[in-house]
Amino acid sequence: MRAGHLHQSCVRLRSPHSGFRSSMAATLRGCFVALVSGPPRFQPLGARALSLTAAQSSAEAPPARADSTFKVTMVPGDGVGPELMTAVKEVFKAGDVPVEFEEFHLSEVQNMASEDKLDQVLTSMKGNRVAIKGKIHTPMEYKGELASYEMRLRRKLDLFANVVHVNSLPGYNTRHNNLDLVIIREQTEGEYSSLEHESVKGVIECLKIITREKSRRIAKFAFDYATKKGRKKVTAVHKANIMKLGDGLFLQSCAEIAELYPKIKYENIIIDNCCMQLVQNPYQFDVLVMPNLYGNIIDNLAAGLVGGAGVVPGESYSAEYAVFETGARHPFAQAVGRNIANPTAMLLSAANMLRHLNLEYHSNMVSEAVKKVIKQGKVRTRDLGGYSTTSDFVRAVVANLRYRPV
């Protein structure tokens, strides 16, 4: 967090009409909120004051409307992404959520990708600092550019940390119920470095890049996350028994950072054993941190433990920006236009985005409505064993919003 943001948060809370003690207490409270939650992104002064007032008021009472709205970049992506974004917009409209979307369509498979389009998306993201996006599908065919638009977005914004909170949904039973674990993935290097070449005819070299700087950065992020969220253990996932230098460096970096957090238990586990242990006994894990490819695999495996790609939210962070998306990234192209996609993951991601913006009331309103619909069990999409459509699910969520404007 930048010192300027913390200083501004403290200054705004000082009241010339209150005594020194109350002013100092308010200042300290404001600093704590800023340290834990981070500054609201692109938030007007009136809206910032509103979010602080709402945090101090009863959770049941709807806050007064902000005098302006938060701007958020929206990239629907491919497959069912546009349908899921429509669901988000409908729920936000019904809940009177003070968010305005700047929407951009970026797609490699629909010929809607170009350098100009990418620059427009990046400019919007850098201005708003918060975005919500669907999966931008990457074609397998090589067309002269190894780095996908998805990867280029991550690199240009330095979205180094992907966080997926795998949490069982009350009312939907799976083989393992009451799961609560977090997967933290470094996503700017590793096997996704886009460094491939044919050294001689018929021989391809694909480089995996592991650096001490980025390994220590993601390890520190994981331990800071565990500390902030009251987690007890961090497990580093690796394959250092085979990739002794690359994964060895990642493992060494995690061990070095772990020494700075004596209250957090630290363990490490080989990736193949981790997969088996997640299936057999996932309760042994709390926070897992890993390089890029392993994170992609484990995200999908863990999502399958609690209901699949349609129910797990995710988010990606840099020092400046936050992007909210589904935890298991699938375009689900075979469902396009059929009104059968499960919007749960995207709606929960949107709720997490609202929490990031300090719109705590609206965040709880959306997430609780989604979870209530699933717990009731009357409206379920096909992936959860039901027959309801995407539209049915969205209508049920809207009907269960705690507060709707008259």
Side-chain angles (χ1 to χ4, degrees), residues 170-314:
Y172 182 71
N173 294 323
T174 59
R175 178 177 178 179
H176 302 290
N177 295 312
N178 302 313
L179 279 184
D180 182 9
L181 59 94
V182 177
I183 301 162
I184 296 178
R185 163 193 179 190
E186 204 295 322
Q187 61 174 8
T188 59
E189 57 176 15
E191 296 84 353
Y192 292 63
S193 299
S194 303
L195 297 173
E196 299 181 82
H197 65 274
E198 187 174 34
S199 53
V200 296
K201 188 67 174 178
V203 179
I204 301 294
E205 291 182 309
C206 179
L207 303 182
K208 170 179 177 175
I209 306 299
I210 297 289
T211 62
R212 181 180 299 276
E213 177 186 359
K214 291 189 176 182
S215 296
R216 288 175 63 90
R217 179 171 68 167
I218 195 65
K220 187 176 187 305
F221 182 95
F223 278 94
D224 284 343
Y225 183 97
T227 301
K228 186 182 299 183
K229 302 294 184 179
R231 299 275 175 166
K232 305 300 182 184
K233 182 172 73 171
V234 172
T235 303
V237 182
H238 65 94
K239 192 63 175 174
N241 58 323
I242 301 299
M243 287 170 276
K244 301 181 188 299
L245 297 182
D247 279 25
L249 176 59
F250 177 82
L251 192 59
Q252 178 188 352
S253 300
C254 289
E256 291 170 356
I257 296 297
E259 293 179 358
L260 305 177
Y261 297 82
K263 294 183 179 180
I264 304 293
K265 184 178 180 181
Y266 170 69
E267 294 179 349
N268 70 78
I269 187 170
I270 295 174
I271 176 63
D272 37 340
N273 185 29
C274 179
C275 292
M276 180 181 70
Q277 295 296 329
L278 275 169
V279 173
Q280 288 188 326
N281 178 26
Y283 303 101
Q284 64 186 289
F285 298 112
D286 193 356
V287 175
L288 298 100
V289 60
M290 60 202 75
N292 210 335
L293 179 61
Y294 308 155
N296 194 1
I297 295 169
I298 296 299
D299 282 348
N300 284 268
L301 189 157
L305 297 177
V306 295
V311 300
V312 178

Side-chain angles (χ1 to χ4, degrees), residues 28 36-37 77 106 110 128 139 166 178 211 226 261 275 288 318 331 346:
L28 291 174
V36 172
S37 303
L106 185 65
Q110 300 179 51
N128 297 331
V166 180
N178 302 313
T211 62
Y261 297 82
C275 292
L288 298 100
S318 71
M346 193 61 79

